[in-house]
Amino acid sequence: MFKSLAERFSFRRSSSVAVESNTRTLSEHTARLSTEENYASAEDSTGSSVAASLKKQDVSAGSSSPSTSPTGAAASSSVLPRKSYDSRALPIRTDGSLDYDALYEDESDNDLSMESHGSVVTHLLSQVKIGMDLTKVVLPTFILERRSLLEMYADYFAHPDLFLRIADLKEPRERMIQVVRWYLSAYHAGRKSSVAKKPYNPILGEIFQCHWDIPEFETSDESKNAEVKDGPIPWCRMDQLTFIAEQVSHHPPISAFYAEHYDKKISFSAHVWTKSKFLGLSIGVHNIGQGTVTLCDLNEEYIVTFPNGYGRSILTIPWIELGGTITITCPKTGYRADIDFITKPFYGGKKNRIQGEIYGPNDKKSFLSISGEWSGLMEYKFNDGSKPSKFETFVDVNGIPIYKKKVRPVAEQSDNESRKVWREVTAGLKMNDIEKATNAKFQVEQKQREEAKERKETYGEWETKYFKGVGESWIYTNPLLHRLTLEKRDSKR
């Protein structure tokens, strides 16, 4: 829902974006979640002279060494002497190896402005025209955020308590209100940095998995809190919220993700891909896809769409704003919501404004209105006389804690898990060694190209692991609702 469902947008191959937000954590959770929108990224087409020259400039912009083409840089990297890690810049283990886990948890950032790499940006802009699709434009490495787009989507659950409370409410009207509250609270959770950057474009087959501990929903009864062996994260318990994401397609670049909490019998499934256009001094990102909240005990679904993202001020210090209208609908109960993400006027006005209305079944007039800023305070009032018609706090994202996700150590991850795939790119960016980051990024993408070529030559097709395509949608292959249905059937035998 994308800096995306902040668009969770990506300056991605098709494009994506990063959204700024606030910094708070629970006392035991000292690191912040980030939720960026993807910036308009670009496809890594090696046949493009634009791509080659951009990568060449990208390397020279971040290094004092002579410029080289990406192919030459990557090819020669194996024979160049390996750079030792600088313990002052990177977290080093006692054995002298790089601590990748600490590296990913470190959310400090060097907020480089585009002005610092003016030659690269100028060259980039010389290749594009107003309204042009940015799919084939390769963006420079220095604007990368140190994580994959798949990890960014986990930011929808920066406030998992708000998500789980949906399942506790008895009335359909209250459930709809809570769905809207959770969804609108998800967009602010971003980096400490105010500079918009793009996450890594996931490679085909890449996965990301994590979970959250939510103290107020934990149970001390071990007999009722076993591991969910057939769940998305088989080592997690029934009282933990689990999350898995997979890059299911490369052309177009489609990401699918799924989350569930067994005890609360609630899940969320979504698929997203983006289209980006060059707008002059801005990048416009259109999110395509939808997400579905499922309340298993009630057979109730809430279908949500995603706002658009805009990367502004791309020549200086880029920032993100959201725009457009999103809908939230419940086909079973008939409740629905329309939320407008209002872009800042050229002169005056405020950033990050929202205006929303929630409607009852078959109603033309809303019973509840919401207004405020998705990055701060949002207020609501009832319009149907059921409660005093004055604005009260709906949710203040600056006043609620962000829950830190938990990720398996990189050393224990499989080769296609996000943090392991991109670990050397992340190290290069943290060191501010753009040449190292660019070379590492090229090697990851070159491996993907070679595998695609091999499949083409053998007439093989890529097979997804956790999601399957159904029409234009992608769904998790073993959702909680399906498993619970089988459990009930088996218990009656």
Side-chain angles (χ1 to χ4, degrees):
M1 311 169 210
F2 336 197
K3 155 181 256 80
S4 354
L5 27 100
E7 262 181 350
R8 302 156 189 251
F9 302 117
S10 78
F11 226 43
R12 324 167 13 102
R13 261 178 194 135
S14 257
S15 87
S16 289
V17 234
V19 147
E20 68 177 280
S21 83
N22 307 291
T23 305
R24 290 154 323 285
T25 59
L26 296 177
S27 57
E28 65 267 39
H29 301 305
T30 56
R32 269 176 119 287
L33 264 181
S34 20
T35 218
E36 264 69 63
E37 297 314 338
N38 316 305
Y39 247 41
S41 121
E43 198 60 49
D44 45 88
S45 66
T46 53
S48 166
S49 61
V50 177
S53 57
L54 250 182
K55 285 190 176 181
K56 181 176 180 180
Q57 288 199 33
D58 190 24
V59 171
S60 62
S63 171
S64 59
S65 60
S67 345
T68 56
S69 70
T71 304
S76 64
S77 62
S78 60
V79 297
L80 289 174
R82 181 178 178 83
K83 291 185 178 181
S84 59
Y85 293 119
D86 183 353
S87 60
R88 294 170 298 176
L90 297 174
I92 304 298
R93 298 182 186 275
T94 54
D95 63 359
S97 63
L98 180 58
D99 187 343
Y100 290 106
D101 301 309
L103 189 64
Y104 276 106
E105 296 300 327
D106 179 4
E107 293 166 356
S108 61
D109 204 359
N110 296 325
D111 291 337
L112 299 176
S113 71
M114 295 299 188
E115 295 166 322
S116 304
H117 298 273
S119 62
V120 178
V121 176
T122 301
H123 180 82
L124 174 67
L125 294 180
S126 71
Q127 310 301 317
V128 297
K129 298 179 181 179
I130 302 296
M132 179 179 174
D133 185 345
L134 296 178
T135 301
K136 296 297 180 182
V137 180
V138 177
L139 297 181
T141 304
F142 70 84
I143 64 169
L144 289 175
E145 181 191 342
R146 299 196 307 270
R147 63 172 180 165
S148 171
L149 173 64
L150 295 186
E151 180 169 350
M152 185 202 70
Y153 288 129
D155 293 339
Y156 273 111
F157 303 96
H159 304 295
D161 52 332
L162 298 185
F163 177 69
L164 299 183
R165 283 175 193 152
I166 298 169
D168 291 337
L169 298 169
K170 304 302 181 183
E171 298 298 325
R173 177 163 123 158
E174 295 303 314
R175 290 195 293 273
M176 170 56 82
I177 293 173
Q178 186 63 22
V179 170
V180 175
R181 179 179 286 113
W182 159 70
Y183 187 70
L184 291 181
S185 74
Y187 284 96
H188 81 100
R191 296 170 290 106
K192 296 177 181 179
S193 170
S194 61
V195 178
K197 295 185 178 181
K198 81 174 192 71
Y200 310 137
N201 296 321
I203 60 172
L204 184 62
E206 180 181 329
I207 65 172
F208 177 78
Q209 47 193 355
C210 65
H211 71 275
W212 291 264
D213 292 326
I214 307 99
E216 65 182 284
F217 294 106
E218 291 180 355
T219 174
S220 58
D221 188 344
E222 294 185 5
S223 64
K224 296 181 179 180
N225 199 27
E227 292 179 344
V228 187
K229 295 295 186 181
D230 56 356
I233 314 293
W235 58 84
C236 287
R237 305 187 309 269
M238 294 179 176
D239 66 349
Q240 292 173 319
L241 178 64
T242 55
F243 174 94
I244 190 163
E246 179 178 5
Q247 191 69 7
V248 296
S249 173
H250 186 57
H251 296 291
I254 303 174
S255 304
F257 54 99
Y258 173 84
E260 72 172 42
H261 192 281
Y262 186 93
D263 279 351
K264 290 296 182 180
K265 305 297 186 286
I266 185 173
S267 67
F268 180 79
S269 183
H271 66 278
V272 183
W273 65 286
T274 58
K275 285 185 175 181
S276 62
K277 286 188 176 181
F278 179 60
L279 305 177
L281 297 180
S282 299
I283 301 294
V285 181
H286 178 55
N287 282 289
I288 302 168
Q290 65 181 35
T292 303
V293 177
T294 301
L295 301 179
C296 301
D297 286 346
L298 298 171
N299 267 332
E300 205 169 83
E301 293 184 338
Y302 296 82
I303 302 169
V304 306
T305 60
F306 309 123
N308 299 322
Y310 299 92
R312 308 296 194 190
S313 303
I314 61 175
L315 287 178
T316 53
I317 301 177
W319 57 279
I320 299 302
E321 68 172 341
L322 308 182
T325 299
I326 64 101
T327 61
I328 303 176
T329 57
C330 180
K332 183 177 180 180
T333 65
Y335 281 89
R336 70 188 193 281
D338 296 328
I339 311 293
D340 291 322
F341 287 77
I342 304 167
T343 57
K344 183 183 180 300
F346 191 78
Y347 293 107
K350 294 183 178 180
K351 297 179 182 178
N352 307 339
R353 299 288 299 172
I354 61 103
Q355 177 67 49
E357 307 291 337
I358 304 180
Y359 301 84
N362 303 315
D363 288 347
K364 294 183 178 180
K365 182 180 179 181
S366 67
F367 69 85
L368 185 145
S369 297
I370 307 166
S371 64
E373 301 173 8
W374 54 260
S375 59
L377 174 65
M378 288 170 271
E379 298 180 308
Y380 73 124
K381 70 175 181 178
F382 285 89
N383 304 322
D384 59 358
S386 61
K387 294 185 179 181
S389 58
K390 63 178 181 179
F391 277 103
E392 298 178 350
T393 297
F394 187 60
V395 61
D396 182 357
V397 297
N398 294 318
I400 56 178
I402 290 177
Y403 288 70
K404 184 183 182 300
K405 63 182 178 289
K406 296 189 175 181
V407 184
R408 187 165 58 163
V410 170
E412 299 176 17
Q413 294 182 10
S414 59
D415 289 342
N416 66 332
E417 291 191 58
S418 296
R419 290 190 172 186
K420 194 164 189 177
V421 168
W422 299 102
R423 63 191 185 280
E424 293 301 332
V425 182
T426 300
L429 291 173
K430 179 59 182 174
M431 295 168 64
N432 198 22
D433 186 336
I434 305 304
E435 181 179 3
K436 173 182 173 62
T438 300
N439 290 344
K441 178 175 178 286
F442 175 79
Q443 289 173 357
V444 170
E445 293 169 343
Q446 181 62 19
K447 182 174 182 291
Q448 179 177 232
R449 285 188 285 267
E450 292 170 354
E451 291 172 348
K453 180 181 179 182
E454 182 180 348
R455 285 195 300 273
K456 184 177 181 180
E457 292 174 347
T458 59
Y459 299 97
E461 292 186 4
W462 178 260
E463 294 184 3
T464 56
K465 186 174 183 180
Y466 297 102
F467 295 83
K468 61 182 178 181
V470 178
E472 295 183 354
S473 300
W474 288 84
I475 63 173
Y476 183 62
T477 54
N478 196 23
L480 180 58
L481 178 60
H482 174 69
R483 300 187 336 255
L484 291 174
T485 301
L486 293 180
E487 286 178 15
K488 290 179 181 178
R489 186 191 67 184
D490 294 343
S491 66
K492 293 179 180 179
R493 291 179 176 175

